[in-house]
Amino acid sequence: MAKRLSDLEGFSVTVLAGVGPERSKTLAKIGVSSIFDLLTHYPRRYIDKTKQSSIRDLRVDESAWVFGKVVSSATVPGRGRGRGRTELRISDGSGFLRITFFNQPWRVRQFPDGSEALFFGKLTEYRGQKQLANPEVDLLDEEDRRQITAIYPQSDKLRLYSRDFRGWQLEALRRAKTLVEPLPAWVLEEHGFVDRTAAFNGVHLPETMVQAHEARRRLAFDELLRIQLALVMRKRSIETSSQGLEHNTSGVLLARFLAALPFALTSHQTTVIAEITADLGGSIPMHRLLQGDVGAGKTVVAIAALLTAVQGGHQGAFMAPTEVLAEQHFAGMVPLVKGITVPDEESSLFEDRPLRVDLLTNRVTGKDRQRLLAALAAGEIDVVVGTHALIQETVAFRSLGVVVIDEQHRFGVEQRAALKAKANGDAVPDVLVMTATPIPRTAAMTVYGDLDVSILGEKPGGRLPIITEWARGGDAQGAVWAKVREEVLAGRQAYVVCPLIGESEKLEVASVEETFERLETHDLSGLRLGILHGRLPSTEKEATMTAFREGRVQVLVATTVIEVGVDVANATVMVVLDADRFGIAQLHQLRGRVGRGANASFCFLVTGDAGAVGDDEERAQGNARLEALVRSDDGFELAEVDLDIRGEGAVFGERQKGRSDLKLASLRRDRALVHLARDVAERLVTEDATLSETPDLKEELRLFLDPEDEAFLFKS
Ligand code: ADP
Ligand code: MG
């Protein structure tokens, strides 16, 4: 009988010949306990033996896979135990080659004469003889005569070799025979996918590279489809199981706000506000993600959503991830809604009353807090700005209509439940999640796939580009300080940002203080400098920020506390020290602090002479990040680069537990498959909301879902 993945999950690897209690313990260490785990332990690459270079054709300094038979081996002892040089002599019929291992005497035992293996490395020449030194090794079994060799992640330490996996996979697949095909035939036909059985055989035991490729495509699609199915089902389930408020979308308040803005909306803002308004007017609760680059004008859109709630007699809440950000948002919002009045239907004279916007943070205490909470409960406050504390039990609203959440990754199932509890009657408040940094489209579909997405892809016009330079080394730094001085003397202001050091606030503060000292006494002597970091008392922080806003402080030396939300149009220079320590998104956010006024702005990314520091990979990545920043000022483009450099880790926060299922699929390499999986998932769920017609597919979703989702999707 054909096997389901869940059946395979039911068999322990100990059913395989050669896997006893010891081996199974070792395998468990790498997460392989069941036959299902084994079959989803995929090769990391394939070697086509017929296509490998023959020894005769190898060239010095080139890297290659070489297939050969061991002719002889010997260890030349060195000083100390386990030391010395082990040399193999291998042959492939076209010639002989020396393989050298240092301090690995056990290699002699690993390679008895006559054994066959693949070796990967760079050919070098040593005393007139060609050799591969410390190559990567893949042993081949005698019966392993396949043209294509699957190479698995191996571990010398655990003594788990690629060859072992090949043997186990072969046995597992032979015994499993046919696997259940969970997808309806139309999906396979329309998109040219091979079936499940062919896919698992093709990925582990391919006969051609084309087969391996097709197998991988199918299995990667399956991973992405499971994630998309869970997301689409979650989204539909929210839509059908909860009732939303039907907001008044044609009231005067929104119109008044927009008319009073000192600028015209960009076309993107207009479109996005229309999308949101349509959601708000409907009976399905809104769950929308607003993506927009720094400076794209998200605040105006957020206020429009909040005021739509207010004009129907409800309240709006704006939640920020930190208190500081809440304060900044509040400060940014107040001028935009200044003078706006609300038609007051409760007053017998239909008089207007002023719009009341307030701030609730932990700093509001005692009597003030009680008054504020009472006003919220009575509906006297129209819009409240604060942190997540706003949806805590102790805060009661008269009628919460719209919630705007400024952050990413954190609005999960728990928060949704808390929000539901805040609902007035049966209707759930509408939710708009804003991301401070754009994320790539495929990532958004995966991480935020249960939300609708609006994009502000265009910034308000008339801004000058920010000139970004990578300042490497001492001379370049000298030029940076000269530029800062020049701008300040021209009446403008600058930021100098010091990095977080080893996650330690204490070290960070020390570094900011040290930098401040040095700049004040040397590089920027004579200028008025201010200092800002997380350890300062809030009164001092506020005083410094005010002084900077008013131009009394010319250069602000700070940590990343200024990353988001600080808006001083007169600041034209951003200097980021040790810029290689920051991520792309963070640097882009920091850069977004300048370029807000009418004057040309500059961003200097400062590093040492050699560029980024760290090991080879860290250096390469750091330099790639800085180059990207210099090249592009488009947050969406940078997000794609970030995904390319950092991989999926760049986008998965704690939010996506399903990520454990992404073993083959990659959000960067498989962009087209992500879209395809989304389309197929939507079609499947639209035609059959509970997947009852594809029971095998439904069944295997359970294998991958986290318990929360499972309860959610399979409760009926
Ligand atoms: P974001 O939150 O997306 O980074 P903000 O909402 O802070 O961006 O807007 C950045 C700046 O652009 C603010 O000073 C804001 O007043 C201004 N702004 C917003 N929309 C427009 C527009 N349509 N035209 C001109 N300036 C705008
Ligand atoms: Mg609604």
PDB file of all heavy atoms in Angstrom, residues 500-532:
ATOM      1  N   LEU A 500      26.265  49.184  18.482  1.00  0.00           N
ATOM      2  CA  LEU A 500      26.076  48.330  19.635  1.00  0.00           C
ATOM      3  C   LEU A 500      27.258  47.375  19.679  1.00  0.00           C
ATOM      4  O   LEU A 500      27.630  46.790  18.676  1.00  0.00           O
ATOM      5  CB  LEU A 500      24.798  47.535  19.431  1.00  0.00           C
ATOM      6  CG  LEU A 500      24.316  46.677  20.580  1.00  0.00           C
ATOM      7  CD1 LEU A 500      23.778  47.551  21.687  1.00  0.00           C
ATOM      8  CD2 LEU A 500      23.221  45.746  20.090  1.00  0.00           C
ATOM      9  N   ILE A 501      27.871  47.245  20.845  1.00  0.00           N
ATOM     10  CA  ILE A 501      29.038  46.361  20.924  1.00  0.00           C
ATOM     11  C   ILE A 501      28.696  45.101  21.679  1.00  0.00           C
ATOM     12  O   ILE A 501      28.361  45.136  22.856  1.00  0.00           O
ATOM     13  CB  ILE A 501      30.216  47.079  21.616  1.00  0.00           C
ATOM     14  CG1 ILE A 501      30.558  48.304  20.798  1.00  0.00           C
ATOM     15  CG2 ILE A 501      31.421  46.151  21.740  1.00  0.00           C
ATOM     16  CD1 ILE A 501      31.399  49.292  21.517  1.00  0.00           C
ATOM     17  N   GLY A 502      28.791  43.998  20.998  1.00  0.00           N
ATOM     18  CA  GLY A 502      28.571  42.699  21.637  1.00  0.00           C
ATOM     19  C   GLY A 502      27.318  42.657  22.484  1.00  0.00           C
ATOM     20  O   GLY A 502      27.312  42.050  23.539  1.00  0.00           O
ATOM     21  N   GLU A 503      26.267  43.296  22.026  1.00  0.00           N
ATOM     22  CA  GLU A 503      24.984  43.259  22.719  1.00  0.00           C
ATOM     23  C   GLU A 503      25.064  43.836  24.129  1.00  0.00           C
ATOM     24  O   GLU A 503      24.173  43.627  24.928  1.00  0.00           O
ATOM     25  CB  GLU A 503      24.460  41.814  22.850  1.00  0.00           C
ATOM     26  CG  GLU A 503      24.472  41.018  21.561  1.00  0.00           C
ATOM     27  CD  GLU A 503      23.290  41.336  20.655  1.00  0.00           C
ATOM     28  OE1 GLU A 503      22.175  41.407  21.165  1.00  0.00           O
ATOM     29  OE2 GLU A 503      23.499  41.551  19.458  1.00  0.00           O
ATOM     30  N   SER A 504      26.128  44.528  24.451  1.00  0.00           N
ATOM     31  CA  SER A 504      26.260  45.001  25.816  1.00  0.00           C
ATOM     32  C   SER A 504      26.032  46.504  25.878  1.00  0.00           C
ATOM     33  O   SER A 504      26.758  47.282  25.267  1.00  0.00           O
ATOM     34  CB  SER A 504      27.648  44.667  26.356  1.00  0.00           C
ATOM     35  OG  SER A 504      28.027  45.596  27.343  1.00  0.00           O
ATOM     36  N   GLU A 505      25.016  46.872  26.630  1.00  0.00           N
ATOM     37  CA  GLU A 505      24.699  48.288  26.724  1.00  0.00           C
ATOM     38  C   GLU A 505      25.822  49.050  27.429  1.00  0.00           C
ATOM     39  O   GLU A 505      26.118  50.183  27.086  1.00  0.00           O
ATOM     40  CB  GLU A 505      23.380  48.481  27.464  1.00  0.00           C
ATOM     41  CG  GLU A 505      22.770  49.846  27.182  1.00  0.00           C
ATOM     42  CD  GLU A 505      21.473  50.080  27.935  1.00  0.00           C
ATOM     43  OE1 GLU A 505      21.331  49.597  29.073  1.00  0.00           O
ATOM     44  OE2 GLU A 505      20.610  50.757  27.362  1.00  0.00           O
ATOM     45  N   LYS A 506      26.464  48.367  28.375  1.00  0.00           N
ATOM     46  CA  LYS A 506      27.515  49.018  29.137  1.00  0.00           C
ATOM     47  C   LYS A 506      28.689  49.394  28.220  1.00  0.00           C
ATOM     48  O   LYS A 506      29.157  50.527  28.221  1.00  0.00           O
ATOM     49  CB  LYS A 506      27.992  48.049  30.228  1.00  0.00           C
ATOM     50  CG  LYS A 506      28.537  48.743  31.450  1.00  0.00           C
ATOM     51  CD  LYS A 506      28.642  47.727  32.582  1.00  0.00           C
ATOM     52  CE  LYS A 506      29.756  48.149  33.521  1.00  0.00           C
ATOM     53  NZ  LYS A 506      30.142  47.025  34.391  1.00  0.00           N
ATOM     54  N   LEU A 507      29.111  48.427  27.425  1.00  0.00           N
ATOM     55  CA  LEU A 507      30.198  48.688  26.483  1.00  0.00           C
ATOM     56  C   LEU A 507      29.791  49.745  25.473  1.00  0.00           C
ATOM     57  O   LEU A 507      30.587  50.586  25.068  1.00  0.00           O
ATOM     58  CB  LEU A 507      30.568  47.413  25.729  1.00  0.00           C
ATOM     59  CG  LEU A 507      31.320  46.349  26.525  1.00  0.00           C
ATOM     60  CD1 LEU A 507      31.539  45.116  25.674  1.00  0.00           C
ATOM     61  CD2 LEU A 507      32.650  46.907  27.005  1.00  0.00           C
ATOM     62  N   GLU A 508      28.534  49.674  25.096  1.00  0.00           N
ATOM     63  CA  GLU A 508      28.034  50.602  24.105  1.00  0.00           C
ATOM     64  C   GLU A 508      28.096  52.035  24.627  1.00  0.00           C
ATOM     65  O   GLU A 508      28.569  52.943  23.951  1.00  0.00           O
ATOM     66  CB  GLU A 508      26.600  50.207  23.767  1.00  0.00           C
ATOM     67  CG  GLU A 508      25.854  51.182  22.903  1.00  0.00           C
ATOM     68  CD  GLU A 508      24.383  50.787  22.839  1.00  0.00           C
ATOM     69  OE1 GLU A 508      24.113  49.652  22.441  1.00  0.00           O
ATOM     70  OE2 GLU A 508      23.531  51.611  23.199  1.00  0.00           O
ATOM     71  N   VAL A 509      27.666  52.190  25.871  1.00  0.00           N
ATOM     72  CA  VAL A 509      27.693  53.520  26.465  1.00  0.00           C
ATOM     73  C   VAL A 509      29.137  54.023  26.550  1.00  0.00           C
ATOM     74  O   VAL A 509      29.438  55.173  26.221  1.00  0.00           O
ATOM     75  CB  VAL A 509      27.036  53.489  27.868  1.00  0.00           C
ATOM     76  CG1 VAL A 509      27.281  54.790  28.607  1.00  0.00           C
ATOM     77  CG2 VAL A 509      25.546  53.224  27.726  1.00  0.00           C
ATOM     78  N   ALA A 510      30.033  53.107  26.955  1.00  0.00           N
ATOM     79  CA  ALA A 510      31.441  53.500  27.051  1.00  0.00           C
ATOM     80  C   ALA A 510      31.952  53.969  25.696  1.00  0.00           C
ATOM     81  O   ALA A 510      32.651  54.979  25.590  1.00  0.00           O
ATOM     82  CB  ALA A 510      32.273  52.314  27.545  1.00  0.00           C
ATOM     83  N   SER A 511      31.562  53.252  24.657  1.00  0.00           N
ATOM     84  CA  SER A 511      32.058  53.617  23.341  1.00  0.00           C
ATOM     85  C   SER A 511      31.479  54.952  22.871  1.00  0.00           C
ATOM     86  O   SER A 511      32.163  55.762  22.252  1.00  0.00           O
ATOM     87  CB  SER A 511      31.777  52.487  22.350  1.00  0.00           C
ATOM     88  OG  SER A 511      31.033  52.930  21.261  1.00  0.00           O
ATOM     89  N   VAL A 512      30.224  55.192  23.176  1.00  0.00           N
ATOM     90  CA  VAL A 512      29.633  56.469  22.783  1.00  0.00           C
ATOM     91  C   VAL A 512      30.320  57.610  23.533  1.00  0.00           C
ATOM     92  O   VAL A 512      30.641  58.652  22.964  1.00  0.00           O
ATOM     93  CB  VAL A 512      28.115  56.507  23.077  1.00  0.00           C
ATOM     94  CG1 VAL A 512      27.521  57.840  22.653  1.00  0.00           C
ATOM     95  CG2 VAL A 512      27.417  55.387  22.361  1.00  0.00           C
ATOM     96  N   GLU A 513      30.573  57.383  24.834  1.00  0.00           N
ATOM     97  CA  GLU A 513      31.208  58.440  25.624  1.00  0.00           C
ATOM     98  C   GLU A 513      32.622  58.729  25.126  1.00  0.00           C
ATOM     99  O   GLU A 513      33.039  59.886  25.024  1.00  0.00           O
ATOM    100  CB  GLU A 513      31.214  58.044  27.112  1.00  0.00           C
ATOM    101  CG  GLU A 513      29.843  58.288  27.723  1.00  0.00           C
ATOM    102  CD  GLU A 513      29.671  57.697  29.116  1.00  0.00           C
ATOM    103  OE1 GLU A 513      30.545  56.913  29.547  1.00  0.00           O
ATOM    104  OE2 GLU A 513      28.645  58.015  29.752  1.00  0.00           O
ATOM    105  N   GLU A 514      33.309  57.653  24.782  1.00  0.00           N
ATOM    106  CA  GLU A 514      34.669  57.810  24.293  1.00  0.00           C
ATOM    107  C   GLU A 514      34.690  58.569  22.949  1.00  0.00           C
ATOM    108  O   GLU A 514      35.481  59.478  22.733  1.00  0.00           O
ATOM    109  CB  GLU A 514      35.263  56.416  24.133  1.00  0.00           C
ATOM    110  CG  GLU A 514      36.733  56.365  23.916  1.00  0.00           C
ATOM    111  CD  GLU A 514      37.137  54.931  23.564  1.00  0.00           C
ATOM    112  OE1 GLU A 514      36.848  54.018  24.364  1.00  0.00           O
ATOM    113  OE2 GLU A 514      37.701  54.747  22.478  1.00  0.00           O
ATOM    114  N   THR A 515      33.775  58.183  22.080  1.00  0.00           N
ATOM    115  CA  THR A 515      33.694  58.850  20.778  1.00  0.00           C
ATOM    116  C   THR A 515      33.351  60.333  20.951  1.00  0.00           C
ATOM    117  O   THR A 515      33.938  61.210  20.317  1.00  0.00           O
ATOM    118  CB  THR A 515      32.620  58.175  19.900  1.00  0.00           C
ATOM    119  OG1 THR A 515      32.926  56.798  19.807  1.00  0.00           O
ATOM    120  CG2 THR A 515      32.582  58.787  18.522  1.00  0.00           C
ATOM    121  N   PHE A 516      32.409  60.580  21.845  1.00  0.00           N
ATOM    122  CA  PHE A 516      31.993  61.948  22.122  1.00  0.00           C
ATOM    123  C   PHE A 516      33.189  62.799  22.565  1.00  0.00           C
ATOM    124  O   PHE A 516      33.438  63.878  22.037  1.00  0.00           O
ATOM    125  CB  PHE A 516      30.913  61.916  23.198  1.00  0.00           C
ATOM    126  CG  PHE A 516      30.427  63.270  23.620  1.00  0.00           C
ATOM    127  CD1 PHE A 516      29.480  63.948  22.860  1.00  0.00           C
ATOM    128  CD2 PHE A 516      30.910  63.868  24.773  1.00  0.00           C
ATOM    129  CE1 PHE A 516      29.024  65.203  23.246  1.00  0.00           C
ATOM    130  CE2 PHE A 516      30.463  65.121  25.166  1.00  0.00           C
ATOM    131  CZ  PHE A 516      29.520  65.789  24.404  1.00  0.00           C
ATOM    132  N   GLU A 517      33.955  62.248  23.530  1.00  0.00           N
ATOM    133  CA  GLU A 517      35.163  62.923  24.030  1.00  0.00           C
ATOM    134  C   GLU A 517      36.133  63.261  22.898  1.00  0.00           C
ATOM    135  O   GLU A 517      36.623  64.373  22.779  1.00  0.00           O
ATOM    136  CB  GLU A 517      35.919  61.987  24.988  1.00  0.00           C
ATOM    137  CG  GLU A 517      35.265  61.746  26.312  1.00  0.00           C
ATOM    138  CD  GLU A 517      35.760  62.747  27.349  1.00  0.00           C
ATOM    139  OE1 GLU A 517      36.942  63.214  27.235  1.00  0.00           O
ATOM    140  OE2 GLU A 517      34.958  63.083  28.217  1.00  0.00           O
ATOM    141  N   ARG A 518      36.394  62.219  22.115  1.00  0.00           N
ATOM    142  CA  ARG A 518      37.397  62.360  21.058  1.00  0.00           C
ATOM    143  C   ARG A 518      36.954  63.412  20.042  1.00  0.00           C
ATOM    144  O   ARG A 518      37.721  64.275  19.627  1.00  0.00           O
ATOM    145  CB  ARG A 518      37.598  61.005  20.365  1.00  0.00           C
ATOM    146  CG  ARG A 518      38.557  61.010  19.206  1.00  0.00           C
ATOM    147  CD  ARG A 518      38.943  59.587  18.811  1.00  0.00           C
ATOM    148  NE  ARG A 518      37.785  58.737  18.516  1.00  0.00           N
ATOM    149  CZ  ARG A 518      37.169  58.705  17.337  1.00  0.00           C
ATOM    150  NH1 ARG A 518      37.591  59.443  16.342  1.00  0.00           N
ATOM    151  NH2 ARG A 518      36.123  57.925  17.147  1.00  0.00           N
ATOM    152  N   LEU A 519      35.679  63.349  19.658  1.00  0.00           N
ATOM    153  CA  LEU A 519      35.197  64.300  18.659  1.00  0.00           C
ATOM    154  C   LEU A 519      35.196  65.716  19.220  1.00  0.00           C
ATOM    155  O   LEU A 519      35.576  66.671  18.561  1.00  0.00           O
ATOM    156  CB  LEU A 519      33.792  63.914  18.182  1.00  0.00           C
ATOM    157  CG  LEU A 519      33.707  62.604  17.390  1.00  0.00           C
ATOM    158  CD1 LEU A 519      32.252  62.285  17.038  1.00  0.00           C
ATOM    159  CD2 LEU A 519      34.543  62.682  16.113  1.00  0.00           C
ATOM    160  N   GLU A 520      34.781  65.827  20.479  1.00  0.00           N
ATOM    161  CA  GLU A 520      34.671  67.154  21.082  1.00  0.00           C
ATOM    162  C   GLU A 520      36.040  67.804  21.254  1.00  0.00           C
ATOM    163  O   GLU A 520      36.197  69.005  21.078  1.00  0.00           O
ATOM    164  CB  GLU A 520      33.970  67.052  22.433  1.00  0.00           C
ATOM    165  CG  GLU A 520      33.549  68.413  22.963  1.00  0.00           C
ATOM    166  CD  GLU A 520      32.607  68.270  24.150  1.00  0.00           C
ATOM    167  OE1 GLU A 520      32.951  67.516  25.084  1.00  0.00           O
ATOM    168  OE2 GLU A 520      31.536  68.901  24.129  1.00  0.00           O
ATOM    169  N   THR A 521      37.028  66.985  21.614  1.00  0.00           N
ATOM    170  CA  THR A 521      38.347  67.568  21.860  1.00  0.00           C
ATOM    171  C   THR A 521      39.215  67.615  20.607  1.00  0.00           C
ATOM    172  O   THR A 521      40.141  68.402  20.528  1.00  0.00           O
ATOM    173  CB  THR A 521      39.104  66.774  22.950  1.00  0.00           C
ATOM    174  OG1 THR A 521      39.084  65.394  22.585  1.00  0.00           O
ATOM    175  CG2 THR A 521      38.467  66.950  24.303  1.00  0.00           C
ATOM    176  N   HIS A 522      38.936  66.758  19.636  1.00  0.00           N
ATOM    177  CA  HIS A 522      39.778  66.730  18.443  1.00  0.00           C
ATOM    178  C   HIS A 522      39.027  67.039  17.158  1.00  0.00           C
ATOM    179  O   HIS A 522      38.889  68.193  16.780  1.00  0.00           O
ATOM    180  CB  HIS A 522      40.493  65.385  18.312  1.00  0.00           C
ATOM    181  CG  HIS A 522      41.483  65.141  19.416  1.00  0.00           C
ATOM    182  ND1 HIS A 522      41.154  64.471  20.565  1.00  0.00           N
ATOM    183  CD2 HIS A 522      42.781  65.503  19.526  1.00  0.00           C
ATOM    184  CE1 HIS A 522      42.209  64.428  21.361  1.00  0.00           C
ATOM    185  NE2 HIS A 522      43.212  65.044  20.751  1.00  0.00           N
ATOM    186  N   ASP A 523      38.490  65.984  16.548  1.00  0.00           N
ATOM    187  CA  ASP A 523      37.988  66.110  15.180  1.00  0.00           C
ATOM    188  C   ASP A 523      36.934  67.201  14.986  1.00  0.00           C
ATOM    189  O   ASP A 523      36.895  67.859  13.959  1.00  0.00           O
ATOM    190  CB  ASP A 523      37.411  64.762  14.720  1.00  0.00           C
ATOM    191  CG  ASP A 523      38.401  63.633  14.905  1.00  0.00           C
ATOM    192  OD1 ASP A 523      39.269  63.466  14.047  1.00  0.00           O
ATOM    193  OD2 ASP A 523      38.302  62.935  15.936  1.00  0.00           O
ATOM    194  N   LEU A 524      36.056  67.354  15.986  1.00  0.00           N
ATOM    195  CA  LEU A 524      34.985  68.339  15.818  1.00  0.00           C
ATOM    196  C   LEU A 524      35.063  69.423  16.888  1.00  0.00           C
ATOM    197  O   LEU A 524      34.048  69.995  17.295  1.00  0.00           O
ATOM    198  CB  LEU A 524      33.621  67.634  15.861  1.00  0.00           C
ATOM    199  CG  LEU A 524      33.372  66.575  14.771  1.00  0.00           C
ATOM    200  CD1 LEU A 524      31.993  65.930  14.960  1.00  0.00           C
ATOM    201  CD2 LEU A 524      33.462  67.176  13.367  1.00  0.00           C
ATOM    202  N   SER A 525      36.269  69.718  17.334  1.00  0.00           N
ATOM    203  CA  SER A 525      36.408  70.696  18.419  1.00  0.00           C
ATOM    204  C   SER A 525      35.834  72.042  17.994  1.00  0.00           C
ATOM    205  O   SER A 525      35.917  72.432  16.831  1.00  0.00           O
ATOM    206  CB  SER A 525      37.881  70.845  18.800  1.00  0.00           C
ATOM    207  OG  SER A 525      38.606  71.269  17.669  1.00  0.00           O
ATOM    208  N   GLY A 526      35.199  72.695  18.946  1.00  0.00           N
ATOM    209  CA  GLY A 526      34.620  74.002  18.651  1.00  0.00           C
ATOM    210  C   GLY A 526      33.163  73.915  18.236  1.00  0.00           C
ATOM    211  O   GLY A 526      32.437  74.914  18.281  1.00  0.00           O
ATOM    212  N   LEU A 527      32.686  72.740  17.848  1.00  0.00           N
ATOM    213  CA  LEU A 527      31.265  72.592  17.504  1.00  0.00           C
ATOM    214  C   LEU A 527      30.489  72.214  18.764  1.00  0.00           C
ATOM    215  O   LEU A 527      31.055  71.715  19.726  1.00  0.00           O
ATOM    216  CB  LEU A 527      31.077  71.522  16.428  1.00  0.00           C
ATOM    217  CG  LEU A 527      31.892  71.671  15.141  1.00  0.00           C
ATOM    218  CD1 LEU A 527      31.452  70.631  14.111  1.00  0.00           C
ATOM    219  CD2 LEU A 527      31.766  73.075  14.556  1.00  0.00           C
ATOM    220  N   ARG A 528      29.190  72.446  18.726  1.00  0.00           N
ATOM    221  CA  ARG A 528      28.370  72.103  19.894  1.00  0.00           C
ATOM    222  C   ARG A 528      27.831  70.676  19.741  1.00  0.00           C
ATOM    223  O   ARG A 528      26.987  70.413  18.892  1.00  0.00           O
ATOM    224  CB  ARG A 528      27.227  73.099  20.048  1.00  0.00           C
ATOM    225  CG  ARG A 528      27.706  74.507  20.399  1.00  0.00           C
ATOM    226  CD  ARG A 528      26.540  75.399  20.800  1.00  0.00           C
ATOM    227  NE  ARG A 528      25.515  75.487  19.772  1.00  0.00           N
ATOM    228  CZ  ARG A 528      25.544  76.367  18.768  1.00  0.00           C
ATOM    229  NH1 ARG A 528      26.541  77.235  18.643  1.00  0.00           N
ATOM    230  NH2 ARG A 528      24.570  76.388  17.886  1.00  0.00           N
ATOM    231  N   LEU A 529      28.371  69.775  20.565  1.00  0.00           N
ATOM    232  CA  LEU A 529      28.007  68.365  20.473  1.00  0.00           C
ATOM    233  C   LEU A 529      27.034  67.960  21.572  1.00  0.00           C
ATOM    234  O   LEU A 529      27.104  68.483  22.684  1.00  0.00           O
ATOM    235  CB  LEU A 529      29.263  67.483  20.580  1.00  0.00           C
ATOM    236  CG  LEU A 529      30.016  67.145  19.292  1.00  0.00           C
ATOM    237  CD1 LEU A 529      30.429  68.403  18.549  1.00  0.00           C
ATOM    238  CD2 LEU A 529      31.238  66.276  19.590  1.00  0.00           C
ATOM    239  N   GLY A 530      26.153  67.016  21.257  1.00  0.00           N
ATOM    240  CA  GLY A 530      25.259  66.441  22.270  1.00  0.00           C
ATOM    241  C   GLY A 530      25.434  64.935  22.273  1.00  0.00           C
ATOM    242  O   GLY A 530      25.906  64.361  21.299  1.00  0.00           O
ATOM    243  N   ILE A 531      25.073  64.318  23.378  1.00  0.00           N
ATOM    244  CA  ILE A 531      25.225  62.865  23.474  1.00  0.00           C
ATOM    245  C   ILE A 531      23.904  62.218  23.866  1.00  0.00           C
ATOM    246  O   ILE A 531      23.145  62.766  24.666  1.00  0.00           O
ATOM    247  CB  ILE A 531      26.358  62.499  24.470  1.00  0.00           C
ATOM    248  CG1 ILE A 531      26.586  60.985  24.500  1.00  0.00           C
ATOM    249  CG2 ILE A 531      26.064  63.012  25.868  1.00  0.00           C
ATOM    250  CD1 ILE A 531      27.895  60.605  25.189  1.00  0.00           C
ATOM    251  N   LEU A 532      23.641  61.066  23.256  1.00  0.00           N
ATOM    252  CA  LEU A 532      22.368  60.395  23.499  1.00  0.00           C
ATOM    253  C   LEU A 532      22.557  58.882  23.500  1.00  0.00           C
ATOM    254  O   LEU A 532      23.083  58.320  22.549  1.00  0.00           O
ATOM    255  CB  LEU A 532      21.406  60.765  22.364  1.00  0.00           C
ATOM    256  CG  LEU A 532      19.912  60.598  22.596  1.00  0.00           C
ATOM    257  CD1 LEU A 532      19.434  61.536  23.690  1.00  0.00           C
ATOM    258  CD2 LEU A 532      19.154  60.886  21.306  1.00  0.00           C
TER     259      LEU A 532
END
